[in-house]
Amino acid sequence: MIQAHTQWPCVVKGQCKAGLGRMRVRAMSLIAVVAVCGLASSATAEPSAPPAGAATPACAGSTGARHVASPDWRDQVIYFAMTDRFDDGDPSNNDQGKGEFAAAGADAFNGGDLKGLTRRLDYIRGLGATALWITPPVANQWTSPDGRLAGYHGYWARHLMQVDAHLGTLDDYRTLASALHCRGMYLVQDIVVNHMGDYFSYGPEWTARDPAAGYRPHRHTAPSAQPTQAPFDLNDPTRSADRAAAIYHWTPDVSDFRDPRQKYTFQMSGLDDLNTGNPRVRAALRESYAYWIREVGVDAFRVDTAFYVPPDFYADFLHARDRTHPGIDRVARATGRDAFHVFGEGFGIDARGDTRYARQIEAYMHDAKGQPLMPGMLNFPLYGALNQVIARGKPPVELAERIESTLRLHPRAHWMPTFLDNHDVDRFLAAGSTAALQQGLLALMTLPGIPVIYYGTEQGFRVQRAAMFKAGFESGGHDRFDTGSALYRYLQSATALRRSHRVLSRGTPRILFANDAQAGALVWEMRLGEERVVVALNTSERITFASVASGLPAGTVLDGLHAIEGTAPALHVDVGGRVALQLPARAGYVWRAVPPAAARPAPAVPNPVTLASLRYDGGTGIVQVAGRAPPNAHLKVVLDGEIGRAESVQADGAGRWHARLATSHLIDPAQRHEVVAVEESSGTFFASKPMTFRARPAWRLALDHADPAGDDRGPRGAYGYPEDPTWGPHRQMDLRRVRAWHAAGALKVELTMHRLTQFWQPANGFDHAAFTLFIELPDQASGATVMPLQNAEVPAGMRWHYRLRAHGWSNALYTADGATATVEGTPTTPGARIETDAKRHTITFTLPADALGRPQTLTGARLYVATWDYDGGYRALQRAPSRYAISGGDGQGDPLVMDDTPVLELR
């Protein structure tokens, strides 16, 4: 007999129905049921995902249960799909006749719907996902007030208790939920409590004392001029009843997110801000979202823009004791869901050493007294560190520190969804390589948190909201549901690894090694009880070496479980508890630690290699090291793990050795650099204990260019800033000065702007401007002249070899390889370090020599800088002025350049 907490489909007349609760079944009976319908269990053993593309026979075309027991969310893998861009299962609902539909339009409804999701569930399940998160399915405002944009994404609500006509019907939604449950999967619905659609705005006459002053209703939006659900239809402050109801805050757009009053009560991007402190609004929101749990069978909520509603709202939203409209958690429990998950969006990315946003995120999970609020929040700080280290080549210690701070600040870190990208940020592959993406996915599967896979990741998507189906936006002209693609297959193996080893979803990590200087090795252990698993990544494009203090007993065997490429080599822990790792470029390995008593004993050989002294000369940039080894032994002296560039030395007859290392390419005085001596004997590496130092680079001023004030008007002087007041007088794209320095192949560029702003709390310290830097190296052929995505070419016969694109939330470096008018080039690492000085209005980009291929010199290099803005792509250019687009030109052909420099040469 075996016992399991389980929700499992059983076959009745060829259909799947689900039972709830604790069930005691015979082993053979349970196996038979699993074979027919599949199982989602909180017991130790979990089912494997089916082979790629395999159907679940008993669920195909049938209906499962509406209500099922909650899973342990720590063990789930979520697939996030933007419904309109996923699959078109019913073309008859695509065009509702209001000008909102364009099959391949970037800003229009494309045709994806609930039936499309339902018919692709086996594709999603075959990937290894156990839950599906969809964008809001509620009835939306279909067009923006100016008619240029459509609400295809679902975040402009018109009625919170109706399914949008473009997506299908209530029955279609019920069918999706039941089909998921029949497969042992779960449904996550995106919800919005902060705002409705954009049905009114305010002009400059607005005053907080008179909500009617400056009020501008948007009477011509489709399909209605106001929300169609009570009480949200009370949106006209010129009517006394609406004003008294106070359903809305009656405010203009946020101009400064640092102001708490604006953050919590003003409109975001013109969306009508709900008065979530009003008991009537709170009750209406509880009623609206409880509807989807009861009527459809939703298993979890993701809360959009959660940061812009005060934290105490969520205690009421989840736990209110109102008999008529109880809290969401109470409603869910009444349907048998005792762990209904709710996780919020708190868009905030902390720089290294900073935990400001992480602490804000935690304030939405627990209040100041430690009482629970939301059970989870999206882990944006971890997202930022994963991208900086794995995609952009920052030192792995940055990710290591973020992992440690996550555990320190968040008691429920395992319930926080983790991700590499989503619908609001650049795709990972916009700046990272496919090899880096595989490493990022492996990290998600082996660290605390609920991994989220953004749709299209498994097909190598680079465009933020591209469609998976042939007719949709940026689909490439064909369906993208290839279960044989390399990334789909890799994700299958990575999700299977997580499912097979509970230590990966419930264990606690401990950092064992992290390169502090540059891309290289990151090693951590996951531990659950006595079970230990070790994970190693090499984020460098070169072979790297690491001598890792494992904390494991001597003789422990590391038995390979998983490798991104090839097989993880079996390793042994030496008598000092260290493991010598030589990791191929972009390697990712996972091992199970087998204790000495359970493993074949390994000979305990003492380490014969020592590093006794290190001396750094800041004037010459030379490091002198010395130590001992077996007489006449051949060694490699490794700096920062780069064993492929190690200095080869030989010990003398007495076992003494010494070496000199050039370090002029090291540019950051804050970084700690590590030297280790390595000797290989009969296939076994012996490594000394490391020694460290810090470099002191000598920067030389190479150019100083003063740029005219007020020339931020485009090539012909006709462009205008967006009308939103956070642009305009601030002129964030007006270059005033450019200075550059170089040091042994490294480059530092400082831009002085008319003004530097941070209205939207940007991760990189500036917003409302994007900078594209083109770099031509001296004495190098090839290169490119095109300015990708900007409708222009670099001037003065320049041919660029490297291109840096950065705005408030992105930082991407490309080589010219493959660059075209529509392709940015080939992503490369490491990326630039970005520093801002708000008082001086300066932004400084520092590129290490490795980022530029370690050139011998930068004297004679050429630099060209162009400004614009960026919002999921270079900001739109159109003829007429508007709130968020740049005006005065044709975005299809006119250059997307607001201000620029001449081509500048470095001395």
Side-chain angles (χ1 to χ4, degrees), residues 356-429:
R356 176 169 55 114
Y357 286 115
R359 286 182 278 110
Q360 287 184 31
I361 286 170
E362 179 57 28
Y364 282 79
M365 295 174 66
H366 295 91
D367 66 17
K369 296 180 180 180
Q371 295 301 305
L373 297 172
M374 277 188 283
M377 287 284 286
L378 286 161
N379 197 334
F380 268 90
L382 183 64
Y383 148 78
L386 286 165
N387 275 263
Q388 291 283 37
V389 170
I390 297 177
R392 299 184 178 95
K394 294 298 181 68
V397 69
E398 295 190 21
L399 177 53
E401 291 171 355
R402 187 60 58 195
I403 293 168
E404 291 172 335
S405 68
T406 295
L407 295 175
R408 186 171 64 251
L409 294 170
H410 304 303
R412 289 180 58 86
H414 292 77
W415 285 265
M416 297 176 69
T418 57
F419 60 101
L420 296 178
D421 53 16
N422 63 29
H423 58 325
D424 288 327
V425 298
D426 278 355
R427 290 272 186 178
F428 185 94
L429 287 177

Side-chain angles (χ1 to χ4, degrees), residues 523-813:
V523 186
W524 68 89
E525 169 196 79
M526 290 291 288
R527 182 169 185 171
L528 182 64
E530 296 302 312
E531 185 178 4
R532 296 187 184 186
V533 167
V534 175
V535 183
L537 302 178
N538 173 17
T539 63
S540 171
E541 305 298 335
R542 293 180 289 273
I543 298 173
T544 198
F545 180 86
S547 178
V548 179
S550 70
L552 295 167
T556 298
V557 172
L558 296 184
D559 184 30
L561 291 177
H562 178 88
I564 291 177
E565 295 286 347
T567 303
L571 301 171
H572 294 82
V573 178
D574 70 16
V575 293
R578 303 187 79 85
V579 178
L581 292 179
Q582 181 166 292
L583 301 171
R586 287 293 180 182
Y589 293 142
V590 182
W591 296 273
R592 178 174 60 98
V594 182
R600 179 178 297 176
V605 180
N607 187 349
V609 180
T610 63
L611 176 57
S613 66
L614 181 151
R615 187 174 65 193
Y616 171 70
D617 185 334
T620 64
I622 297 296
V623 168
Q624 298 190 55
V625 291
R628 299 190 68 86
N632 304 312
H634 292 271
L635 299 95
K636 291 185 175 181
V637 183
V638 183
L639 173 62
D640 291 333
E642 288 194 291
I643 197 166
R645 290 175 170 171
E647 187 75 16
S648 295
V649 298
Q650 184 176 8
D652 63 18
R656 296 183 296 266
W657 62 268
H658 68 276
R660 291 163 53 88
L661 305 176
T663 66
S664 59
H665 62 285
L666 306 179
I667 61 170
D668 188 349
Q671 286 181 334
R672 181 177 58 87
H673 300 280
E674 183 178 278
V675 178
V676 66
V678 181
E679 189 254 348
E680 185 177 7
S681 177
S682 302
T684 300
F685 286 101
F686 294 98
S688 70
K689 289 185 178 180
M691 297 188 78
T692 63
F693 69 95
R694 297 182 191 275
R696 297 186 297 275
W699 290 101
R700 183 164 67 86
L701 183 65
L703 69 84
D704 189 345
H705 167 73
D707 200 76
D711 62 341
D712 50 333
R713 302 283 297 173
R716 295 185 295 275
Y719 292 174
Y721 281 83
E723 291 185 323
D724 187 89
T726 56
W727 274 280
H730 306 288
R731 307 188 75 93
Q732 296 97 325
M733 300 178 227
D734 187 9
L735 277 165
R736 302 300 298 273
R737 186 183 187 186
V738 179
R739 293 196 294 172
W741 297 259
H742 59 86
L747 176 64
K748 179 161 59 176
V749 179
E750 178 192 81
L751 308 179
T752 302
M753 308 306 297
H754 174 77
R755 188 166 298 169
L756 208 65
T757 61
Q758 300 177 350
F759 291 120
W760 293 348
Q761 298 182 304
N764 289 333
F766 64 93
D767 59 17
H768 290 41
F771 305 96
T772 312
L773 282 64
F774 297 87
I775 302 162
E776 178 186 275
L777 297 180
D779 303 320
Q780 286 201 18
S782 66
T785 61
V786 67
M787 295 172 61
L789 310 180
Q790 292 186 269
N791 302 334
E793 293 194 345
V794 289
M798 179 183 184
R799 299 189 70 87
W800 62 270
H801 300 102
Y802 290 90
R803 171 179 170 269
L804 171 64
R805 171 180 56 76
H807 83 300
W809 294 268
S810 72
N811 174 13
L813 181 67

Side-chain angles (χ1 to χ4, degrees), residues 39 128 161 240 330 433 492 514 530 604 695 745 799 804 882:
L39 171 68
M161 296 172 67
S240 59
R330 297 177 183 277
S433 66
Q492 283 185 313
E530 296 302 312
R799 299 189 70 87
L804 171 64
S882 72

